Amino acid sequence: MAMKCALSEELPVDEYLITEEPYYVPVGNEVEIFTAAYKNLLPVNLKGPTGCGKTRFMEYMAWKLQRPLITIACHEDLTATDLVGRFLIKGESVEWSDGPLTKAVRAGAICYLDEVVEARKDTIVVIHPLTDDRRIIPIDKLGIVVKAPDEFMLSVSYNPGYQSIVKDMKQSTRQRFVAIDFDYPPAELEKQIVAHESKVDENTATQLVEIGQSIRNFKHHGLEEGVSTRLLIYAGKLIQEGIESKEACRIAMAKPITDNPDLQKSIDEIIAAIME
Amino acid sequence: MAMKCALSEELPVDEYLITEEPYYVPVGNEVEIFTAAYKNLLPVNLKGPTGCGKTRFMEYMAWKLQRPLITIACHEDLTATDLVGRFLIKGESVEWSDGPLTKAVRAGAICYLDEVVEARKDTIVVIHPLTDDRRIIPIDKLGIVVKAPDEFMLSVSYNPGYQSIVKDMKQSTRQRFVAIDFDYPPAELEKQIVAHESKVDENTATQLVEIGQSIRNFKHHGLEEGVSTRLLIYAGKLIQEGIESKEACRIAMAKPITDNPDLQKSIDEIIAAIME
Amino acid sequence: MAMKCALSEELPVDEYLITEEPYYVPVGNEVEIFTAAYKNLLPVNLKGPTGCGKTRFMEYMAWKLQRPLITIACHEDLTATDLVGRFLIKGESVEWSDGPLTKAVRAGAICYLDEVVEARKDTIVVIHPLTDDRRIIPIDKLGIVVKAPDEFMLSVSYNPGYQSIVKDMKQSTRQRFVAIDFDYPPAELEKQIVAHESKVDENTATQLVEIGQSIRNFKHHGLEEGVSTRLLIYAGKLIQEGIESKEACRIAMAKPITDNPDLQKSIDEIIAAIME
Amino acid sequence: MAMKCALSEELPVDEYLITEEPYYVPVGNEVEIFTAAYKNLLPVNLKGPTGCGKTRFMEYMAWKLQRPLITIACHEDLTATDLVGRFLIKGESVEWSDGPLTKAVRAGAICYLDEVVEARKDTIVVIHPLTDDRRIIPIDKLGIVVKAPDEFMLSVSYNPGYQSIVKDMKQSTRQRFVAIDFDYPPAELEKQIVAHESKVDENTATQLVEIGQSIRNFKHHGLEEGVSTRLLIYAGKLIQEGIESKEACRIAMAKPITDNPDLQKSIDEIIAAIME
Amino acid sequence: MAMKCALSEELPVDEYLITEEPYYVPVGNEVEIFTAAYKNLLPVNLKGPTGCGKTRFMEYMAWKLQRPLITIACHEDLTATDLVGRFLIKGESVEWSDGPLTKAVRAGAICYLDEVVEARKDTIVVIHPLTDDRRIIPIDKLGIVVKAPDEFMLSVSYNPGYQSIVKDMKQSTRQRFVAIDFDYPPAELEKQIVAHESKVDENTATQLVEIGQSIRNFKHHGLEEGVSTRLLIYAGKLIQEGIESKEACRIAMAKPITDNPDLQKSIDEIIAAIME
Amino acid sequence: MAMKCALSEELPVDEYLITEEPYYVPVGNEVEIFTAAYKNLLPVNLKGPTGCGKTRFMEYMAWKLQRPLITIACHEDLTATDLVGRFLIKGESVEWSDGPLTKAVRAGAICYLDEVVEARKDTIVVIHPLTDDRRIIPIDKLGIVVKAPDEFMLSVSYNPGYQSIVKDMKQSTRQRFVAIDFDYPPAELEKQIVAHESKVDENTATQLVEIGQSIRNFKHHGLEEGVSTRLLIYAGKLIQEGIESKEACRIAMAKPITDNPDLQKSIDEIIAAIME
């Protein structure tokens, strides 16, 4: 069978280097802890809710430590093969192509498995020999074992609020990571972030953060998860674009997070009260 | 193996351009909101029941913004591969063929995932890096990453009335979209739409809309979902074709939406009362 | 790899044309309704029990409208690929072969999906863009979209008596079809059909229909479904062949429809009482 | 790829002709009914417990009607492909090979699907167009449809005692077959069969049948199914070989049919009482 | 595609001949029964707990009857293909390779399916035509049917203590086998076996057997299954190697069979009491 | 199809030899027991909680016995093929490549299946013929059987604390292994290990072990599993790196093992009380 393939150029790992300092404002000592773990070859687990800045933090640390960052969004259909690599058709031949995890190991990059508990069990096991003394990744399909250089680091995130019994991390996996807690930034800091990212004035940013914090209090009254900093920024952007401010808040903050009409009404009242 | 393939001509993306203004009557400020979101690179989620005009609205916006529109009907067996692309047999060789999502990203089109919660989890994850700052789509099988131009937009729809616990949008997905609520159009507007689309006279259109609204009230009495504007138009078309009007309503409005004999009887009575 | 394949001749669509008028006696205005729907490009859903004449009706309408009829029996393992098409080995090469649905679309045929709810979800979704304004079928594997000519029609059947919660039609699918109810024919008509098809005399046909109707009354006493007109015809044929008439009824009508000894006994008594 | 294959000779259908009259003693009018059904092209369903002679009856009828008999033991992993056919590697080329059902259709043979409810749903659907007026089998992989000659007949068996809700025949399948009930033969007849097949004397045969009938009475006291005629024959054969007669009965009749110690003890007592 | 394969030498069936008499001490008349079944072409089912000597008995009978013995350990993922055979890559070509069951049929060997109920349903069905008058194995992939010579025998084992409703043998399978019960050997015999296999002195063997029998009494007090003769031999071997005798018993008998601390403590007390 | 493959060099088994004595301090007579089992060809099962030193013990024993150690982390998607071997693309040809288990058998290595109960059933069955008298591994795909040399040993581990009914070892598997219990090391020993591995001073090591032991007492109060020695070492490393000691304990010991805020608070109090 003759084969021709127009598109397959493999991008070099440099692609994954972050060259500009990402906008990140530390909340506590998370930068120091991550750095200490990195130096001691300890894997790190970032625990926290959706949209509170975990991904941005990883970008910041990768920039600070000057390592490429390879991010993998985990999901139920992600297999060990997706991580490790597979044979791909290249022109008239078939060539091995490293998966993102193998690429990270070889390049001494930081590999970040986002929402790791969503992945299938065989994915998790692939990281076990990378997270103890061995620091190796076995590539069954090539019959080889690759040893990670000291520059390589494995980091995962997960959201403790989600976890059901079915989708929990096994203790034999958990106990391979040090864990850093993440949460929404404190009001003053979040205001600064919202203003910076959406270009709204300080007063609007203050109101948006106030609304966000009020909504988060509903979490114990039926709301599955609080509103993320990202959505506050969305609301700010719509306001900047000329959408009426209360409408912008409803569209970016009330409707996305719940389908429950009662909760939506309560959130609308909060918006009306704060954003006059 | 020698291969020959007669049919495989790939259609250019222009195919997806909508050249004639679609018939759409706005209900509120949905056009302005969508436009603001588009300008700010914010993904949009259209929430609302079956057949209330979400698809038509997307066609209208694509026409207004002059972008190609690529629609994907989501379902349980839709995989990330279906969206991203695969290797296809072309004549005697094998060539990469972009999936609809990749095609949309490359062309700066609007990509519309209809009933997104029906899709498998790996599909959802594919859209994550397209819906944050990165705006990228990784193509594992080619080992490349494609960055979306500013013209690209991702839009999804879903029907909050359907969602079970199994098929709900995860907060980490939901909080990536601003949300616009859709509902059946108000009576006056729906009358205008029914008359325009089915060519019935104003009086018949008024009666059809009146029946539609009465049926929708049954939603809290065992009816799974209200009757759609589409079915009102079906009834109008059958009447125009010469089918007796009450029979046309039964065939297009009562029987399609429920198998429950009691509900059907109640709906028949409504039809008989209004459509004398 | 050298390949040789002796048998693969593709039959032309004319094969699917029905040249002789099928024996069909209308019960109500179903012929007019179907014709009106056909003219207005509206998809049709035939609702009714097993063996009451839905398939025969489709054959009759296809003959009357002079369109080829392509019937697909739906089942759990039917995939979108089965409907749309696949690459087949032809002699030494591999060629695309349209599936039955694509064949119907291209030829402007009537496509009939029998027991549509038995199909997998991805099958259903394939018909969505064929059942709204677009009237298109996307062929992912070829990267093309085929537009249906006005002559094409999609029709489905389903049995409301069967439907469980798991196997129900989604409202977003249901509301794309006008629906025609089917039931066992009225006594006089069924007698005529049984006599015509099994060649029994009028008296025997009358008795068979009487038994059939009595059995159908058991449906509310544990019988899953009434006895079909088809089984009445089977009984008639066995009688014509010389099998004792009560025995013929037991073999063709009592034993096929239930394994419950009590129900079988009750049916035997009915047979004995009517068929003396 | 060069291929070589030593073993693939296809056996001609004559192979399936039964040339010697099988030993079968009719219990009632089952031979006449089957013959009448065969002449009228009606599919037949044999209902009855394990090992009561259904398979032997099919062999007998095939011999009597002088048609080849192709038997297929159904099971959960049997697919439509297994029945219809597939491409096989033959020497250096790939050739189509008819599956057993297609082979039977082409040859006008009798095809017997043993324990049909064990098969997957797609298997069942393959037989639908063979069991109505159409009498066709569509071969998707070749893109052709094969019409059955009048000599072809489809027959199925199933055991009503087994059926769970999960594994029941759908009414739309059931109502395509006339049904003949089978049961263990009456005592006199079974004695004759046991003596003929195992070569034991008449007295021993009488005792074995007496034990068999007593065990069958336990069916309402926890025994899943009665002992089959086959096991009576096994016991007879062991006795003929010199195994002590009570021991032979325990080994061939008590232990195979149940693991319940109480039931085994009761059966042992029956054996001891009858086989002194 | 050019292929090269260094290792594929097929072993001749002689490999499966047992040339040295295996150590086996009969408990009852099992040798005679098996021999009678073998002569009469009756399949045999060995019922009994883990590690009580079923496999050794099969080796002994194969040696005695001078037939090769092919053993297959059944499990959930064993398919009919694994048993029957598949196409394998041999050097540059593809050749058919008989599976173990086909190999046994052709060679007139004894085929032993260990723990047969663990296998998938399609595996079981493959043995049906081998266990009735036909004594054939259909090889679908080659389109042929192989007839077993009289020397071929099929034997299965299963453990009645394990069986759940999900994993039970169907009556239509069960009633194809005569059944021989197996249990742990009586004390005197087991002592002899333990001494022979582990080389411990008679006194130690007596103590080990005494412990084994005491543990087996716990079966009705929460222990899933009694301790096997194999584990008594393990304990003996560790003692011979110099491990303190009570410790050896704990390691080889208490800890392997249960994780329940209470049961372990009770077993430890038994060990302490007997093995002073 | 022409193939090219840049990376596939197979590593020699020597790779798996451990040349430097691993740091391991025996707790009891586990070294003697393992050695006795090894000499008698008995498979060994290591039972114990996560991170208590089972893997290190295996490394130590492999070093002591001077055998290569091949470790396989078991998981739900691990198949027999993964263990036994597969055909791999090598340059332009396809060659057989031994899986890790086959590699171990051929080389007379020690094969260690970590968390064996996580593996699929077909994996377990592959080890059965390796764990009785036969000591063989059948390689179906090559049609051969490989006999293990006396140097080969099979060892497995599992964590009794985890096992659900679904994931339990079958008795027929369990009773093939002698079992050695593992637990966290006694305080004095653990202190020594923590000091050695993390380089903290003796006082800090004492405090870390004290905290560890207190946390382990919570196991009966909702904590799924105690804190592993590995995490004590992590905490020590962070302290050595300059992270405040209480913070280091929270990050390495409290947060990784539980998401329960109450349990975390209790653990924080323990840390505060001990680590002043």
Side-chain angles (χ1 to χ4, degrees), chain F residues 58-76:
Chain F
M58 285 308 302
E59 290 170 354
Y60 179 76
M61 289 312 302
W63 170 83
K64 202 162 166 26
L65 297 167
Q66 304 213 44
R67 302 308 314 152
L69 175 68
I70 297 186
T71 299
I72 301 159
C74 296
H75 56 87
E76 276 183 12

Side-chain angles (χ1 to χ4, degrees), chain C residues 5-216:
Chain C
C5 175
L7 296 170
S8 57
E9 297 161 68
E10 212 162 313
L11 299 189
V13 152
D14 294 355
E15 179 87 0
Y16 297 96
L17 267 174
I18 295 166
T19 48
E20 240 169 291
E21 178 172 356
Y23 176 77
Y24 182 77
V25 195
V27 177
N29 61 350
E30 69 268 28
V31 174
E32 290 70 36
I33 293 172
F34 194 95
T35 309
Y38 182 76
K39 284 194 190 155
N40 283 278
L41 311 183
L42 304 183
V44 171
N45 179 0
L46 310 185
K47 292 165 70 172
T50 285
C52 73
K54 299 191 296 286
T55 299
R56 187 63 66 89
F57 173 68
M58 285 308 300
E59 289 170 355
Y60 178 77
M61 289 311 303
W63 170 81
K64 203 164 164 26
L65 297 168
Q66 305 213 44
R67 303 306 315 152
L69 175 67
I70 297 184
T71 299
I72 300 157
C74 296
H75 56 87
E76 277 182 12
D77 297 310
L78 186 82
T79 61
T81 295
D82 294 326
L83 291 180
V84 174
R86 52 165 57 85
F87 285 97
L88 294 181
I89 299 168
K90 297 264 167 117
E92 296 205 4
S93 66
V94 171
E95 287 179 24
W96 173 258
S97 168
D98 283 342
L101 181 58
T102 305
K103 218 179 265 180
V105 170
R106 288 198 205 266
I110 296 175
C111 186
Y112 177 48
L113 296 172
D114 196 15
E115 297 201 43
V116 69
V117 288
E118 298 293 332
R120 278 177 20 183
K121 293 291 155 49
D122 67 338
T123 309
I124 301 306
V125 153
V126 158
I127 67 177
H128 275 202
L130 274 171
T131 50
D132 57 26
D133 293 1
R134 293 173 288 169
R135 288 177 64 84
I136 56 170
I137 181 169
I139 308 183
D140 287 357
K141 296 228 172 74
L142 295 177
I144 65 170
V145 165
V146 179
K147 179 134 188 63
D150 283 2
E151 287 79 12
F152 170 77
M153 184 192 204
L154 188 74
S155 185
V156 302
S157 77
Y158 95 120
N159 184 340
Y162 280 3
Q163 311 323 322
S164 59
I165 303 166
V166 181
K167 290 233 164 160
D168 199 7
M169 260 173 120
K170 292 199 305 176
Q171 286 290 340
S172 62
T173 302
R174 276 169 171 271
Q175 299 209 6
R176 291 164 179 279
F177 293 86
V178 299
I180 307 179
D181 276 345
F182 274 76
D183 206 343
Y184 306 114
E188 201 46 49
L189 189 54
E190 191 166 39
K191 203 188 313 177
Q192 200 181 318
I193 294 168
V194 170
H196 177 275
E197 299 269 311
S198 72
K199 317 289 182 223
V200 292
D201 59 44
E202 210 193 300
N203 185 37
T204 309
T206 307
Q207 288 173 322
L208 288 170
V209 169
E210 214 175 309
I211 294 169
Q213 290 190 317
S214 301
I215 294 176
R216 285 166 195 157

